Amino acid sequence: MSVSHSTYVTRRIPASTIRRLSHYLRSLEDLDDAGGETVSSEELAIRGQTTAAQVRKDLSHFGSFGKRGLGYKVDELRRRLRQILGVDRKWKVALIGAGRIGSALFEYPAFESRGYECVAIVDADPQKIGTRWSNLEIQSPDQLESLLKGLGVELVILAVPARAAQEMAERAVKAGIKGILNFAPIRLKVPAHVPVEDVNLVMQLEALSFAITQRGSAE
Amino acid sequence: MSVSHSTYVTRRIPASTIRRLSHYLRSLEDLDDAGGETVSSEELAIRGQTTAAQVRKDLSHFGSFGKRGLGYKVDELRRRLRQILGVDRKWKVALIGAGRIGSALFEYPAFESRGYECVAIVDADPQKIGTRWSNLEIQSPDQLESLLKGLGVELVILAVPARAAQEMAERAVKAGIKGILNFAPIRLKVPAHVPVEDVNLVMQLEALSFAITQRGSAE
DNA sequence: TTGTGTGAATCCCTTCACAGCG
DNA sequence: CGCTGTGAAGGGATTCACACAA
């Protein structure tokens, strides 16, 4: 079909594809090109730990922005990937939970540099409320809904103990936030239109110990 | 076939299955049973966000330890899952990188409680070397190989800046470690027999912004 | 009767292979 | 030519459906 594609697409894209798109974007950001440079699917594949065919298939879901016989223009592909992943703009983020994980994230350099701007920090600990992390004052969750709504927060990073996570998530959803990065080791119950990404370190450790244990016993 | 299965298996098990096994184990740990209680695949499915058939298929890879018409004995299934995932024992872990992420992990309660014991902390910062986190002294990476070997470290948590990660990984592998939980945003090059689990927060944030952006534009 | 264990069917992702454009 | 874009083929994982054991 020769319909002019946009970077938006209705078809369902598998999570694995999205992870790979992130990788492609990451490799393009490494090589800062003068202007007209190009990359082939082959080169992208090597950096992204896949095959050239996979790269082409991944990109083809969103249009056809390569030149046959040449490859992809680096700067254009980068722009397109940013558009596709939705990182061609700033996202206002609130950090809920100012413990160790919260602090680690807040200081995480990639965080700010990729367009995620932390505009509020919330914690229930009275000791912490009122103290500052760089130029942000830690606030009580009492008025969470109006706080988030007032600032126009779209993403929430949930880094609170498991027992508090569900309530905070629900209140954030009520405040109209659009997505949650969840560090609490529970399955949040939120409306289907609010995507949740779970960061589950125990699970990843178990994947490791599984791989080690099984390998040792095989063959 | 009616060969008596062990919990070890040679066939290749997909990563998705392992993630689900972790979930099943997690839900079983929630409900602490008196003794003879049972769960059905149906119940496990609800907690694990899958289907009953999927639960049965997952478990069947490792043997058949359910009773027809009844379900699975909670305590036995829990024991089996721990065996399968390799968490029926202690793992000696070294933390390489004593920054924010390292500190967050070190304090992470689930970490210790699931059998991962941190036996060494390493950081290159002279300011930090010699200081203590609870009862562990932060050590220089100068003698990393002999340090890890001497302590019998099996797992390494890599929480150092990207530029230092590859070198530290290689030296840890030389010291005979068996797996790496990697927080550095690079693809580590290590021998195939050393499994690596990448924790990539930027990628997860991008998965969120993708989901939000695409949803908004669909229908 | 209930709920497991499992071949068979289905679905979806990846890989192949090549037509076609620059 | 060289390399993309894409139908078709292939392979894996999930779901179905039912025989069978408790």
Side-chain angles (χ1 to χ4, degrees), chain B residues 62-131:
Chain B
F62 302 94
S64 46
F65 25 85
K67 299 253 178 295
R68 302 189 184 210
L70 244 172
Y72 303 87
K73 287 188 66 183
V74 170
D75 52 1
E76 189 195 342
L77 182 55
R78 189 161 45 197
R79 195 169 46 76
R80 294 293 197 115
L81 284 171
R82 290 209 182 108
Q83 247 176 65
I84 293 166
L85 291 171
V87 293
D88 55 343
R89 70 203 234 8
K90 280 231 177 282
W91 290 91
K92 289 192 179 179
V93 177
L95 179 58
I96 303 186
R100 299 264 174 186
I101 293 175
S103 126
L105 276 172
F106 189 73
E107 306 273 323
Y108 191 46
F111 191 65
E112 185 99 33
S113 76
R114 305 249 180 251
Y116 299 95
E117 184 195 4
C118 187
V119 297
I121 310 172
V122 172
D123 199 294
D125 181 352
Q127 298 267 307
K128 285 178 184 159
I129 293 170
T131 64

Side-chain angles (χ1 to χ4, degrees), chain B residues 168-182:
Chain B
M168 287 296 143
E170 282 169 18
R171 293 176 61 191
V173 169
K174 247 183 245 158
I177 59 101
K178 293 178 184 157
I180 299 174
L181 185 68
N182 174 42

